[in-house]
Amino acid sequence: MPKNSKVVKRELDDDVTESVKDLLSNEDSGDDSFKKSSLMIDDVQEDKDRDIEEGSDTEEERPAWNSKLQYILAQVGFSVGLGNVWRFPYLCQKNGGGAYLVPYLILLVVIGIPLFFLELAVGQRIRRGSIGVWNYISPRLGGIGFASCVVCFFVALYYNVIIGWSLFYFSQSFQQPLPWDQCPLVKNKTTAFVEPECEKSSATTFYWYREALDISSSITESGGLNWRMAVCLLSAWVMVCLAMIKGIQSSGKVMYFSSLFPYVVLICFLVRALLLKGSVDGISHMFTPKLEMMLEPKVWREAATQVFFALGLGFGGVIAFSSYNKRDNNCHFDAVLVSFINFFTSVLATLVVFAVLGFKANIMNEKCVALNTDKIIGFLNSGVLSHDLIPHHMNFSSINAVDYHQMTDIFKGVKETEFSSLELDPCDIKDELNKAVQGTGLAFIAFTEAMTHFPASPFWSVMFFLMLVNLGLGSMFGTIEGIITPLVDTFKVRKEFLTVGCCLLAFSIGLIFVQRSGNYFVAMFDDYSATLPLLIVVVLENIAVAWVYGTDKFFDDLKDMLGFSPYRFYYYMWKYVSPLVLLLLLAASIIQMGMHPPTYSAWIGELAAEKTLSYPPWGLAMCVTLVAFAILPVPVVFILRYFNLIEEDSNSLSAVSYKKGRIIQENSSPEDDDTSLIEGRTPSEVPSPMPGKSIYRKPSSSPTTDMDTAPNGRYGIGYLMADMPEMPESDL
């Protein structure tokens, strides 16, 4: 803003309640106009924050959260998703049990919380979606916001398919026994026999691949639509659309249920699982640390990736949600709170998963012991083994795992060379617990199998899949908000129309995921549409704030916004540590993708097992296209603005002033900082008085009186009144 401009510039404070009529007053008198904009600040907060968008002649009302609790639940619902339930436990099991929590916590503090805090801060201060935020901070890097929207759309396409799968299982859970409890029988004219594919695998595996997905044997075999799953996908999109159609005014109310209900279910599952036989074996196995694995780089890379995705960084949902906050909200507290809620949710889910898997492992171990005991009895009857080798206290009608291992140890000692020919399984519970299960395999195969052994299994199945639906919806709300909010802020379209149109388009494209080969496309999108593009987006976000905008300037803005200066720890994290860690993670991801060509796991019915296959040429092209299309907006916008093909400040949120109730564009001066997040004086120019609850600013009798400051040390609300003839220019 020009230094000689005859205007008074005042900071917009959210705690101010002001009449629109007064704001748009056309009174010419300086004193009268001053009276019209007199300030009243009290303990009552308006339901809606009022923002003025540059280039608009009318006032725009921006929605606001009804309460701080609603906002926190929205952020928790977005960050806590299906990955907390089915990926974090798998990574714990795979990467050293309890030892995995150490690198995870370190990386949560080093990159997770600082970057989460960064996204919350820029969204809250600039009060726009991801497109507006990054256009504002660095116009040439404005493509970051568009890239976030593209990634959000890709993720929403397949994420809602998983909600559709959960809805299908939920609808099938109201049966006793559950439909995946036993293998189906195949009847011919004379006999009935168990389905061979099911007998080779298991009842839950067969139900998942054959009944639910009706899966084809490769990605090249479409097989047509699975109509039951198509209906479930439509239901999922209808639920999302209805919840999001009014923005946070509708989705915020749904959050009370969708965010809290999963915790109720997890706690109920934990209490129930702890009462089952073998649950303690699962939990002790999970928390038995393998400290030597902490020295492996792969463990740290996977922990960093999990931290990165667990908090939803780069999607734009975090920025969108925080943009509806009051400007002086303590977003640092929110960042730490939500991050640790996310971590403890992951630990809670891991306890539940391993308690249930411990129970399942004991069931499977008992079956193994019974099967091998029958083999031993056969060997005794045929004379292969002598009855003298069997301890006298053993009763074959009620043999347990301890007795079985005692017998096999005797056989190994006496028939050391011949023992392998007996083909007796070890029946070790640790072997069963070491079978790594993640993703859909954990939710729709391992967990469903365990629940068939629960008393009142339909009830627990209904609760479990209702929990998955709620976890998925919470994440979907944030993902869709990451698309809708930036587009509404940028292109000024009706939110209702855009939401319905977006959901219809996504459902239409999503039909490729409910073909018989749809599961393979879900895996493709999961592997290639988000991982690499999101890493690039977050690296650019960090660089844009820390190096392009400037960490020192950003710290001053935070101090003015929050009323206190954040810990110096964040300065070094944002400027040096986080960018370095993110670049290393990006390089490691690219190297891994280069060393391991794209493959997918296909279900082969004849083998009743999964087989790793390579993508066809068009599949490889599709993988590359997903990555390229997601990051394409970044270089495109940079080139357009670098060569001045579009105006750099066309979407700037700075240089806005009021004159007789109208918004005017001011010419920027080279020496002015038009990209500052906080316009007006810095806190160093005016000492911060002690905090207070309310102030009343009366009209000044002298037009030359200095501007009052608000009790929190920031300037009270005021507007740029261009027509004040009595006020000397020197006093401005």
Side-chain angles (χ1 to χ4, degrees), residues 23-29 33 657-664 720-723:
L23 172 62
L24 300 180
S25 170
N26 287 323
E27 295 293 329
D28 289 330
S29 168
S33 66
S657 66
Y658 297 89
K659 183 175 183 179
K660 290 187 178 183
R662 295 181 62 81
I663 301 172
I664 62 171
L720 308 177
M721 296 172 289
D723 290 342

Side-chain angles (χ1 to χ4, degrees), residues 554-695:
F554 190 54
F555 249 64
D556 290 339
D557 295 342
L558 286 174
K559 184 177 180 180
D560 202 0
M561 182 173 73
L562 301 176
F564 63 89
S565 184
Y567 297 113
R568 202 66 182 170
F569 162 81
Y570 291 104
Y571 180 93
Y572 298 108
M573 291 298 107
W574 286 331
K575 194 161 189 177
Y576 304 111
V577 180
S578 295
L580 179 61
V581 173
L582 287 171
L583 288 171
L584 288 174
L585 182 58
L586 179 61
S589 299
I590 293 173
I591 292 171
Q592 186 198 25
M593 291 177 69
M595 293 175 60
H596 300 88
T599 58
Y600 67 100
S601 295
W603 178 257
I604 310 300
E606 294 77 15
L607 302 175
E610 287 186 333
K611 184 179 180 181
T612 301
L613 301 177
S614 298
Y615 283 107
W618 62 265
L620 292 173
M622 194 169 177
C623 294
V624 174
T625 302
L626 287 173
V627 176
F629 196 76
I631 62 175
L632 187 62
V634 176
V636 168
V637 172
F638 181 85
I639 292 170
L640 290 175
R641 290 211 164 119
Y642 184 81
F643 292 103
N644 294 322
L645 299 177
I646 57 176
E647 291 292 334
E648 282 198 7
D649 59 350
S650 60
N651 289 320
S652 174
L653 301 179
S654 57
V656 178
S657 66
Y658 297 89
K659 183 175 183 179
K660 290 187 178 183
R662 295 181 62 81
I663 301 172
I664 62 171
Q665 175 78 29
E666 295 185 338
N667 296 323
S668 299
S669 178
E671 65 267 24
D672 291 329
D673 180 18
D674 285 337
T675 60
S676 175
L677 288 175
I678 310 291
E679 293 190 351
R681 301 182 188 176
T682 61
S684 59
E685 294 180 74
V686 180
S688 300
M690 294 299 291
K693 280 197 172 181
S694 64
I695 63 170

Side-chain angles (χ1 to χ4, degrees), residues 444-657:
F444 299 107
I445 298 176
F447 232 85
T448 51
E449 184 172 348
M451 284 187 294
T452 58
H453 302 289
F454 276 29
S457 54
F459 168 78
W460 294 105
S461 183
V462 167
M463 293 283 283
F464 176 73
F465 289 109
L466 186 57
M467 178 191 73
L468 290 188
V469 169
N470 278 274
L471 284 172
L473 287 176
S475 297
M476 276 297 296
F477 294 156
T479 304
I480 297 297
E481 199 68 56
I483 303 171
I484 301 299
T485 297
L487 295 179
V488 169
D489 290 342
T490 305
F491 301 108
K492 303 303 174 190
V493 294
R494 283 284 299 272
K495 178 167 284 189
E496 294 86 348
F497 296 154
L498 182 61
T499 303
V500 173
C502 180
C503 292
L504 282 174
L505 177 63
F507 169 71
S508 302
I509 299 174
L511 291 176
I512 67 171
F513 301 110
V514 290
Q515 305 174 91
R516 290 184 58 206
S517 60
N519 188 45
Y520 307 136
F521 287 98
V522 171
M524 177 193 289
F525 272 67
D526 191 31
D527 290 338
Y528 298 101
S529 70
T531 308
L532 199 61
L534 276 180
L535 272 173
I536 295 172
V537 165
V538 177
V539 168
L540 292 174
E541 286 182 359
N542 198 168
I543 292 173
V545 172
W547 292 94
V548 178
Y549 182 77
T551 314
D552 292 311
K553 193 188 301 183
F554 190 54
F555 249 64
D556 290 339
D557 295 342
L558 286 174
K559 184 177 180 180
D560 202 0
M561 182 173 73
L562 301 176
F564 63 89
S565 184
Y567 297 113
R568 202 66 182 170
F569 162 81
Y570 291 104
Y571 180 93
Y572 298 108
M573 291 298 107
W574 286 331
K575 194 161 189 177
Y576 304 111
V577 180
S578 295
L580 179 61
V581 173
L582 287 171
L583 288 171
L584 288 174
L585 182 58
L586 179 61
S589 299
I590 293 173
I591 292 171
Q592 186 198 25
M593 291 177 69
M595 293 175 60
H596 300 88
T599 58
Y600 67 100
S601 295
W603 178 257
I604 310 300
E606 294 77 15
L607 302 175
E610 287 186 333
K611 184 179 180 181
T612 301
L613 301 177
S614 298
Y615 283 107
W618 62 265
L620 292 173
M622 194 169 177
C623 294
V624 174
T625 302
L626 287 173
V627 176
F629 196 76
I631 62 175
L632 187 62
V634 176
V636 168
V637 172
F638 181 85
I639 292 170
L640 290 175
R641 290 211 164 119
Y642 184 81
F643 292 103
N644 294 322
L645 299 177
I646 57 176
E647 291 292 334
E648 282 198 7
D649 59 350
S650 60
N651 289 320
S652 174
L653 301 179
S654 57
V656 178
S657 66

